[in-house]
Amino acid sequence: MQNQVETVIQVKNVKKIYRMGTEKIFAVDDVSFDILKGEFCCLLGTSGSGKSTLLNLMAGIEKLSAGQIIIKGKKIHRMNESSLARFRQRYLGFVFQSYNLINSMTALENVEFPLVFKRVKAKKRKSMAKDVLTKVGLENRMAHKPKEMSGGQQQRVGIARAFVAKPEIVFADEPTGNLDTKTTMEVMGLIRNIAKENNQTIVMVTHDKRLAEFADKIIHILDGKIQNIEIRRDVSKSENEVLEQNSEGMDSKPDISPDTESSINSKSDTETKNNAESKSNKEAISNTEGNEETKSDTDSKSNTTAKSSKTAKSSKGAKSSSGRKNSVDTKSNVDIKRSKDTGSKIDKKDNTDTELDIKINLDDIFDMNEKIVYPEKVDTETPLTEDNTGPMSDIASTKE
């Protein structure tokens, strides 16, 4: 049974048309999809595919030509600039590729800035800003200005600023486009972990398929149209339902890239080979010990037989009934002693086999977690411009 999960974003038959003279360019062409609460959604496409234009339409930065965009039950395409500013302030957060930090402010002040518009008291907003900067690993950089920090550190400040007010929805436009591979992985991990902790919805634009692997849903876009929608994890299912599916053999294979899967398989083969060699060596040692025990038993039996023959020979010819009785008693005692020794050695061998089996089973367990290596950045797409519609990003940021 599926849980009732709120649909926070609805995009219905959305179009964005730019005019260049007499020619019409469809940047977004009749696009429709839904995004659930707590879902990490990725808009994936090449440069010029229309993914950034679609993100700007969803954030109210650009005006659509046709269709509807409904966020939290509000038709944002019908809002004026003042209403949009209040709506963004209440529900939305933004992570930009170019950081968009205020150079005259410290990291702490940049993160505090959105809370000023929410009229949070100075003491509380300073505490909130410090907490989120600590989460992103910048507890020692709070007093530094943007020009005194690296690109990765500036992007961490941008992430802290986007999440400090705990918005329900965060829009991220190529958030790792200006970062190296190692920092890209760290930043993506921060975004995913913070959003998961607070059950926030993420809408991210990227051209990189490997970065898209962080998402629960991937919407593939080409030439302004949706090619297909890939569901990697269904957020409407509870953890118990996921566990039940895994126990039945469904969805038990993790979503990983082919390179990572090849590396895991290679590790599995190596582990299996090592376990087999270890098991073979242990069996050889066990067989050697068994041969030594058998040899020891044979020597003991020979000595016992010789001793018994000697006793019988010494008592041969004795005509008293007590002599025959002593010979029978001696033989009985020897048989009893041999039986006890043999039983003890059999039990010891069985225990050794049991211990070997347990150790072999434990050796078969290995860690399948692998790190995903991300490629170097590529040029980001250049958004199209419209003759009769100027850029609205500056207006939106000013009103906020």
Side-chain angles (χ1 to χ4, degrees):
M1 182 178 179
Q2 293 187 341
N3 298 328
Q4 295 295 328
V5 179
E6 178 187 356
T7 300
V8 293
I9 301 176
Q10 294 175 288
V11 177
K12 299 180 178 180
N13 306 113
V14 167
K15 293 182 181 181
K16 179 61 178 179
I17 304 172
Y18 293 101
R19 295 182 183 273
M20 297 186 68
T22 58
E23 185 180 358
K24 292 182 179 180
I25 298 176
F26 288 81
V28 178
D29 189 4
D30 197 20
V31 168
S32 299
F33 59 86
D34 293 339
I35 298 177
L36 303 178
K37 182 176 177 60
E39 194 168 44
F40 192 145
C41 179
C42 175
L43 304 179
L44 178 64
T46 58
S47 179
S49 61
K51 58 187 186 297
S52 291
T53 302
L54 179 57
L55 185 74
N56 290 338
L57 292 172
M58 295 168 64
I61 296 173
E62 293 191 41
K63 298 295 183 181
L64 51 78
S65 302
Q68 295 183 348
I69 296 178
I70 303 172
I71 300 179
K72 296 290 296 179
K74 305 291 184 181
K75 296 181 179 180
I76 65 168
H77 57 284
R78 293 185 178 179
M79 292 183 181
N80 57 31
E81 289 301 323
S82 178
S83 298
L84 276 171
R86 289 193 297 270
F87 182 82
R88 294 191 199 103
Q89 177 183 315
R90 182 174 181 181
Y91 295 111
L92 306 183
F94 294 88
V95 180
F96 303 97
Q97 177 181 346
S98 56
Y99 319 138
N100 285 0
L101 302 178
I102 302 175
N103 290 327
S104 61
M105 292 184 176
T106 64
L108 184 63
E109 291 169 342
N110 268 283
V111 176
E112 282 186 74
F113 197 56
L115 300 176
V116 174
F117 296 99
K118 285 181 170 287
R119 298 181 180 179
V120 178
K121 293 182 179 180
K123 185 176 180 180
K124 184 177 181 181
R125 68 173 181 253
K126 191 177 293 291
S127 175
M128 292 171 67
K130 286 181 178 180
D131 287 344
V132 71
L133 280 169
T134 301
K135 280 186 177 180
V136 299
L138 293 179
E139 60 271 15
N140 298 325
R141 295 280 181 174
M142 295 184 186
H144 288 67
K145 294 183 178 180
K147 291 183 178 179
E148 299 171 336
M149 295 184 287
S150 66
Q153 290 170 341
Q154 290 184 61
Q155 190 60 290
R156 288 169 184 263
V157 175
I159 292 171
R161 181 183 59 187
F163 285 92
V164 66
K166 297 183 179 180
E168 293 190 35
I169 303 165
V170 175
F171 291 111
D173 188 3
E174 296 279 5
T176 62
N178 293 333
L179 306 177
D180 58 72
T181 303
K182 182 175 182 292
T183 310
T184 292
M185 182 181 67
E186 294 173 353
V187 167
M188 288 301 301
L190 282 173
I191 292 174
R192 183 181 62 179
N193 293 338
I194 295 175
K196 186 176 181 181
E197 180 181 345
N198 298 314
N199 195 30
Q200 293 164 297
T201 303
I202 304 292
V203 182
M204 181 184 73
V205 166
T206 186
H207 59 271
D208 193 333
K209 292 182 179 179
R210 295 188 182 182
L211 294 186
E213 292 184 359
F214 283 89
D216 303 318
K217 176 189 290 182
I218 303 175
I219 300 176
H220 297 263
I221 301 175
L222 181 64
D223 296 332
K225 297 182 178 180
I226 293 179
Q227 298 298 302
N228 69 295
I229 298 178
E230 178 184 351
I231 306 296
R232 295 174 56 82
R233 186 177 69 89
D234 192 349
V235 298
S236 64
K237 294 182 180 179
S238 65
E239 294 295 332
N240 291 334
E241 288 176 320
V242 173
L243 291 174
E244 288 176 2
Q245 283 189 350
N246 289 340
S247 65
E248 295 172 0
M250 299 174 60
D251 299 332
S252 58
K253 185 177 180 179
D255 293 327
I256 55 177
S257 63
D259 293 339
T260 306
E261 184 175 7
S262 175
S263 176
I264 291 173
N265 292 336
S266 176
K267 181 177 179 182
S268 177
D269 294 340
T270 303
E271 294 287 346
T272 304
K273 183 177 179 181
N274 291 339
N275 290 337
E277 291 176 354
S278 175
K279 184 175 181 180
S280 176
N281 292 336
K282 290 175 182 177
E283 289 177 351
I285 293 172
S286 178
N287 292 336
T288 303
E289 292 177 350
N291 292 337
E292 290 178 355
E293 290 176 358
T294 304
K295 183 177 179 182
S296 177
D297 290 343
T298 303
D299 293 341
S300 175
K301 184 176 180 181
S302 300
N303 294 336
T304 304
T305 304
K307 185 176 180 181
S308 178
S309 300
K310 186 176 180 181
T311 304
K313 186 176 179 180
S314 62
S315 60
K316 188 178 180 180
K319 296 180 181 180
S320 63
S321 59
S322 60
R324 287 192 300 272
K325 184 177 180 180
N326 290 337
S327 177
V328 172
D329 291 341
T330 301
K331 184 175 180 180
S332 298
N333 292 335
V334 170
D335 291 338
I336 292 170
K337 184 177 181 180
R338 286 173 58 196
S339 300
K340 289 182 177 179
D341 292 341
T342 303
S344 175
K345 289 172 183 175
I346 291 172
D347 293 340
K348 183 177 181 180
K349 186 175 180 181
D350 290 343
N351 292 335
T352 302
D353 291 340
T354 303
E355 292 174 358
L356 287 173
D357 291 339
I358 293 172
K359 187 167 185 180
I360 290 168
N361 289 335
L362 292 175
D363 289 339
D364 288 339
I365 300 174
F366 58 90
D367 185 12
M368 295 183 65
N369 291 327
E370 293 289 336
K371 290 185 177 179
I372 301 173
V373 179
Y374 301 97
E376 296 296 334
K377 63 178 182 179
V378 301
D379 294 338
T380 58
E381 67 174 314
T382 302
L384 296 171
T385 58
E386 186 175 11
D387 292 342
N388 58 355
T389 303
M392 301 181 64
S393 57
D394 293 338
I395 297 175
S397 61
T398 303
K399 289 187 177 294
E400 290 178 349

